């Protein structure tokens, strides 16, 4: 067992789960299974899988796939291809796309930074589409970049991006500008690998995902985070500083989390939980199992 894991496990054993900012669920003994369709926990420094459950099966990831959109935008900014202060004109497609939103209007001009914050904090689909279109000219071209990047960083061929947002294709058929062919699918391991890649290569993402609320420039003036595991939120957990929630009817409730505990960074992923609350409860269970066992579980 690695020293960092052992210290956290010792803390939880001696001090109780309050040491990590949450309580062991009442009436539940430690289980070897997370109540999700798939789940993984990854030690970022070592690359060791501390927990893996149905981890290689491709499933709809919903908005967790925005981690790739965020990666490409951050890399474009770092390369000088985009600027945080660039003004983006919101298209009809971006303004009208469904799901989580900043409340943007067609023709509105908004900075890249404001759009990125809306995507990272609120998981706003209108902001995501606007950024994809601005970065690549249209969403289909951006999606080609997403898939090329997936291969470059070593994600499996099981995972495929169909659009920039993670929405189901049925939600996009009404928009001629949309990338609406096929469905986005990812394995839990690939979600974790992507999360690990972005926090290591583009750590500025955490400056956005730590925020509990962002100010919007659409009809949604205050954009509250969808990540309720941030300290101070309903399921606030010590060490959490992101990363991405997701929901569609096909995907269920999903969460990719980033945690800094005892000097080590961990990435967790749960896919296909039953309720908004369950994705955070099951992430707590996943942390408990991964930190206590310190080894991969089948």
């Amino acid at each position: 067992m690695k020293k960092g894991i052992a210290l956290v496990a010792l803390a939880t054993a001696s001090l109780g789960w309050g040491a990590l900012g949450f309580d062991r669920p009442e009436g539940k003994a430690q289980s070897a299974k997370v109540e999700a369709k798939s789940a993984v926990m990854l030690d970022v420094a070592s690359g060791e899988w501390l927990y893996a459950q149905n981890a290689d099966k491709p499933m709809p990831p919903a908005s967790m796939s925005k981690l790739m959109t965020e990666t490409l935008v951050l890399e474009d900014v770092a390369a000088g291809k985009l600027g945080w202060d660039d003004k983006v004109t919101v298209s009809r497609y971006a303004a009208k796309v469904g799901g989580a939103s900043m409340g943007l209007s067609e023709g509105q001009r908004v900075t890249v930074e404001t759009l990125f914050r809306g995507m990272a904090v609120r998981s706003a689909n209108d902001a995501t589409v606007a950024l994809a279109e601005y970065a690549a000219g249209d969403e289909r071209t951006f999606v080609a970049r997403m898939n090329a990047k997936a291969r470059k960083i070593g994600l499996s061929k099981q995972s495929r991006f169909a659009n920039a947002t993670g929405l189901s294709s049925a939600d996009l058929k009404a928009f001629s500008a949309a990338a609406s062919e096929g469905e986005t699918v990812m394995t839990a391991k690939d979600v974790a690998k992507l999360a690990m890649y972005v926090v290591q290569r583009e750590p500025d993402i955490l400056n956005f995902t730590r925020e509990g609320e962002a100010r919007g420039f659409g009809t949604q003036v205050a954009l509250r985070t969808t990540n309720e595991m941030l300290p101070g939120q309903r399921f606030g957990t010590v060490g959490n500083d992101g990363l991405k929630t997701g929901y569609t009817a096909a995907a269920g409730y999903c969460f990719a989390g980033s945690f800094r505990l005892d000097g080590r960074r961990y990435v967790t992923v749960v896919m296909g939980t039953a309720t908004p609350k369950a994705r955070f409860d099951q992430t707590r269970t996943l942390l408990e199992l991964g930190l206590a066992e310190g080894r991969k579980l089948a």
Side-chain angles (χ1 to χ4, degrees), residues 31-225:
S31 169
K33 184 176 174 61
V34 176
E35 293 179 11
K37 290 182 179 178
S38 64
V40 295
M41 181 170 172
L42 177 64
D43 182 322
V44 170
S46 69
E48 180 183 0
W49 296 105
L50 304 181
Y51 186 95
Q53 173 183 307
N54 204 21
D56 294 308
K57 182 176 181 179
M59 300 179 184
S63 286
M64 292 192 302
S65 68
K66 288 188 177 86
L67 287 168
M68 182 61 85
T69 303
E70 292 168 349
T71 297
L72 293 177
V73 171
L74 286 167
E75 290 185 345
D76 282 353
V77 170
K81 297 176 181 178
L82 300 178
W84 287 124
D85 294 328
D86 289 359
K87 287 291 187 74
V88 178
T89 301
V90 177
S91 69
R92 176 185 177 276
Y93 167 35
K96 300 295 184 182
V97 69
S101 167
M102 289 180 69
L104 300 176
S105 302
E106 182 179 357
Q108 187 175 359
R109 288 174 58 78
V110 186
T111 66
V112 166
E113 183 174 3
T114 297
L115 293 171
F116 192 91
R117 182 166 277 108
M119 174 171 61
V121 175
R122 187 60 184 170
S123 198
N125 291 322
D126 49 0
T128 304
V129 171
L131 285 169
E133 292 180 326
Y134 184 67
D138 61 76
E139 188 183 28
R140 293 181 181 89
T141 303
F142 190 83
V143 168
R145 286 185 60 194
M146 295 173 78
N147 285 304
K149 186 69 176 181
R151 304 290 84 80
K152 184 175 181 179
I153 66 176
L155 302 193
S156 74
K157 293 182 179 179
Q158 298 269 65
S159 295
R160 174 186 177 275
F161 296 94
N163 55 62
T165 58
L167 288 169
S168 300
S169 61
D171 296 322
L172 304 176
K173 292 292 186 183
F175 304 103
S176 60
S180 58
E181 296 301 319
E183 303 293 344
T184 296
V185 291
M186 298 184 73
T187 69
K189 280 188 174 180
D190 282 342
V191 175
K193 288 177 182 178
L194 177 56
M196 178 175 70
Y197 178 88
V198 69
V199 298
Q200 286 185 315
R201 298 295 186 92
E202 301 294 339
D204 284 351
I205 192 172
L206 300 175
N207 295 333
F208 293 92
T209 61
R210 288 187 185 101
E211 296 182 11
E213 184 179 283
R215 306 305 293 180
F217 286 83
T219 58
Q220 303 297 321
V221 177
L223 304 173
R224 185 177 177 183
T225 183

